[in-house]
Amino acid sequence: MPKQKTKRGAAKRFKVTASGRIKRSRAFKSHILTKKRPKRKRRLRKATLVAAADERRIKRLLRA
């Protein structure tokens, strides 16, 4: 039986932390930045963790 392949799209978007949680980057940072306040843009730079409800689904995509 062949090996399972990781979903490459998910691998590019998510990273697994040392504690096993999943890190993601924030949305709404790619364009139309002139109307967004500097404070909001600074917050969007920082990565955050995936919601607990979605974690199982994303882990499955990463180990596939």
Side-chain angles (χ1 to χ4, degrees):
M1 193 167 168
K3 285 192 212 174
Q4 293 289 304
K5 289 189 177 180
T6 300
K7 298 291 180 190
R8 298 313 294 162
K12 290 168 190 174
R13 287 172 172 80
F14 304 105
K15 297 281 175 260
V16 181
T17 63
S19 62
R21 303 289 310 271
I22 297 171
K23 199 165 71 164
R24 67 167 176 90
S25 58
R26 292 177 184 272
F28 309 110
K29 184 63 173 79
S30 55
H31 63 111
I32 317 175
L33 297 172
T34 50
K35 62 173 81 168
K36 292 168 191 161
R37 298 295 96 203
K39 182 181 179 180
R40 182 177 169 192
K41 288 190 276 191
R42 268 197 309 277
R43 251 199 329 265
L44 291 173
R45 274 185 226 147
K46 300 205 164 84
T48 186
L49 294 173
V50 165
D54 300 322
E55 234 175 69
R56 192 166 148 238
R57 212 159 26 115
I58 292 162
K59 276 185 180 169
R60 191 161 165 247
L61 292 173
L62 293 174
R63 67 177 164 78

